[in-house]
Amino acid sequence: LYPDRLGEDFLALQLPGADGGQDPDPWTATALSRLLVAGAEEPPVYLGRALTVLVETAKRWPHVAARLTALLRERPDLAVVGGTPVLVSLASWEAADVEVLEAVERLFPDHRHVDLDAGIAAVTSWLHTRRLAAASDPAGQARLYERLAWRLGHAGRREEALAVTEQAVEIYRRLATVNRAAFEPDLAASLGNLGGRLSGLGRREEALAVTDQAVEIRRRLVTVNRAAFEPDLARSLTNLGGQLSELGRREEALAATEQAVEIRRRLATVNRAAFEPDLAASLTNLGGQLSELGRREEALAVTDQAVEIRRRLVTANRAAFEPDLAQSLTNLGGRLSGLGRREEALAATEQAIEIRRRLATVNRAAFEPDLAQSLTDLGIGLSGLGRREEALAATEQAVEIRRRLVTANRAAFEPDLALSLDNLGGRLWELGRWEEALAVTDQAVEIYRRLATANRAAFEPDLAASLTNLGGRLSGLGRREEALAATEQAIEIRRRLATANRAAFEPDLAQSLTDLGIGLSGLGRREEALAATEEAQTLSAAAQRTDQQQRGSRRRRTSTIVARILGR
């Protein structure tokens, strides 16, 4: 019977005990246990829906509440098997039985579970409110905050997780002031969590500051007891490396991450089951940081190791480790693409997309940002293989998701939106939609200019790339003077970047110089065009062997331009 409330009332009136109702049929006295429990080797397919309806009915009918509570006291596992909708419904029932929800909580896995995370967070939050009110011990309160934040984070409830973590840090700071030896380890753990939450919300400078504090504390603790505290130090170093990388401090990021990998390799040798997941996380970060520094072959090797470990972990526990595997597969696609291995890159990216689409269906808040990342990479991969219409569709999906995310949290997601817009410009240009391509590339440049003003080290490489693309779009539309101005800005940035890191940024500088040669030639400034193109050719010739395929392509292109400029 619909609407739902009418169906719930009909159900309530059929169960014994309804005030003012007719005497029900005798079979209804045992209906719930027979329909939901008795004799089934596997839970019935309708279990989740049935329990959700019962919970909603129980909120308004006391006799249904009593029957449902008795059933769940006997079989709390039914709530977990029923899944996230049942758990969320239970957590929205203010008068739910505390003992029932505690019994349900005891059945939760002690790790993330992609199918249940949202429901687990809801139940944990319900219990947290009641436990906090009864807790008089500050350390106990801090532990309650930490546990809730962990569950909220897995559910994608990032702002709430941050607020709860800040409360835990505040308590531990106070306790550590009184008793440093007892509470500094807890303070370091909470600071590490706080750094991760701030970073995930785009508050990168604040994240780095608290992570630095966590590392400082844990380095000191390791000198006292290496066996006890080295795993925690490795965790903080991994976080530190990621946050330094986000701020463009690439060499420092690499140093921190390499220390973490060294520790975790050693620990995993002694206890593989306990430390391999952590090792895979550090290897994933290390691959990204090596790639940013132009060490592409090394980046691919460690990313391959991370994928190998995470595939094995997923075989043992899919619900816990599939999100991590998707991240490593996405990174692997990027590493392979950077080395010109497009078919392999596309295969890895498509595997990541398959996982992330499924995860986003289960928990949109937690996994849509990751899905957008993989869709952006998919667009790049498909474009490189000439599948332009498919590439455009994937990139448009990424932009759509990221525009929505930016509306909710600009600081966290605007850099990602700029990247997707830049790629969308490329996809539109390839299909001859030139004015649209120019418009979205302009948007990307505008965002990156603003970001680079606030954080030059982190965002100038992206700004230079977008300016290069903008110059190409303007040139293709015959707006040569504007194109030249954009290209010259890109060159100014890339010269400065290449001075600091030749391996990472000289190939990009060579590309921009080649574009400058084309632009100057089109304006009749042949001597300047020849100088720019010859410099590009010199840089390409000096590029490292690891970039051989891309270097050959650039050298052929610049040689052709030189010949054209000289009139050959």
Side-chain angles (χ1 to χ4, degrees), residues 76-87:
D77 59 300
L78 293 176
V80 179
V81 174
T84 284
V86 176
L87 297 173

Side-chain angles (χ1 to χ4, degrees), residues 68-397:
L68 179 59
T69 298
L71 176 66
L72 291 176
R73 275 184 179 158
E74 183 181 344
R75 292 290 306 275
D77 59 300
L78 293 176
V80 179
V81 174
T84 284
V86 176
L87 297 173
V88 169
S89 188
L90 276 172
S92 68
W93 183 11
E94 282 298 317
D97 187 271
V98 173
E99 291 182 5
V100 166
L101 265 72
E102 286 179 336
V104 170
E105 183 193 39
R106 285 193 288 272
L107 299 174
F108 291 159
D110 59 359
H111 49 72
R112 81 173 307 162
H113 191 297
V114 294
D115 298 319
L116 296 175
D117 281 334
I120 290 173
V123 171
T124 304
S125 184
W126 190 96
L127 289 169
H128 171 85
T129 302
R130 287 144 184 85
R131 287 169 175 166
L132 190 65
S136 57
D137 171 33
Q141 292 174 345
R143 285 191 292 273
L144 287 173
Y145 282 125
E146 283 287 11
R147 183 167 185 79
L148 177 60
W150 181 56
R151 294 300 196 183
L152 291 170
H154 285 160
R157 295 165 60 175
R158 297 176 182 87
E159 294 282 357
E160 297 169 82
L162 173 63
V164 172
T165 306
E166 286 175 329
Q167 291 175 298
V169 168
E170 181 184 346
I171 293 171
Y172 281 132
R173 278 197 195 282
R174 192 164 60 246
L175 291 171
T177 303
V178 177
N179 189 334
R180 179 169 161 177
F183 292 108
E184 262 203 333
D186 297 319
L187 174 59
S190 278
L191 286 167
N193 294 336
L194 180 60
R197 309 262 182 252
L198 289 164
S199 176
L201 289 168
R203 296 164 60 176
R204 296 176 181 88
E205 294 285 355
E206 296 170 82
L208 180 62
V210 296
T211 302
D212 260 332
Q213 292 175 47
V215 170
E216 180 186 348
I217 293 170
R218 284 175 161 167
R219 284 198 192 281
R220 186 167 62 247
L221 292 171
V222 165
T223 62
V224 177
N225 189 333
R226 178 171 166 177
F229 295 112
E230 215 177 25
D232 298 328
L233 175 59
R235 182 175 296 108
S236 289
L237 287 167
T238 298
N239 294 340
L240 180 66
Q243 289 156 24
L244 286 165
S245 178
E246 287 176 343
L247 290 167
R249 294 163 61 175
R250 295 175 183 86
E251 295 287 353
E252 296 170 83
L254 181 63
T257 305
E258 284 178 329
Q259 288 179 56
V261 168
E262 179 190 350
I263 294 169
R264 285 176 161 172
R265 278 200 196 279
R266 185 174 0 98
L267 293 171
T269 303
V270 177
N271 189 335
R272 179 168 159 176
F275 295 110
E276 261 203 334
D278 297 330
L279 174 59
S282 292
L283 287 169
T284 296
N285 289 359
L286 180 61
Q289 288 152 21
L290 287 166
S291 178
E292 287 175 349
L293 291 168
R295 295 163 61 176
R296 296 178 180 87
E297 292 287 354
E298 295 171 83
L300 177 60
V302 297
T303 304
D304 258 332
Q305 291 175 49
V307 169
E308 180 187 349
I309 293 170
R310 284 177 163 169
R311 283 197 193 280
R312 190 166 59 247
L313 293 170
V314 164
T315 302
N317 190 335
R318 179 187 145 205
F321 295 111
E322 220 178 19
D324 299 328
L325 174 60
Q327 181 62 58
S328 287
L329 286 167
T330 297
N331 294 345
L332 179 62
R335 305 294 91 80
L336 289 165
S337 178
L339 289 167
R341 295 162 61 175
R342 294 190 179 93
E343 293 284 355
E344 296 169 85
L346 182 62
T349 302
E350 286 176 331
Q351 289 177 56
I353 289 271
E354 180 186 349
I355 295 169
R356 285 176 161 172
R357 280 200 193 279
R358 186 170 63 251
L359 295 174
T361 302
V362 174
N363 190 334
R364 180 169 160 176
F367 296 111
E368 254 201 340
D370 298 330
L371 175 59
Q373 176 192 355
S374 290
L375 285 166
T376 298
D377 294 343
L378 180 64
I380 295 169
L382 290 166
S383 171
L385 293 169
R387 296 161 61 178
R388 295 190 174 95
E389 293 286 354
E390 296 170 83
L392 176 63
T395 308
E396 285 177 329
Q397 287 179 55

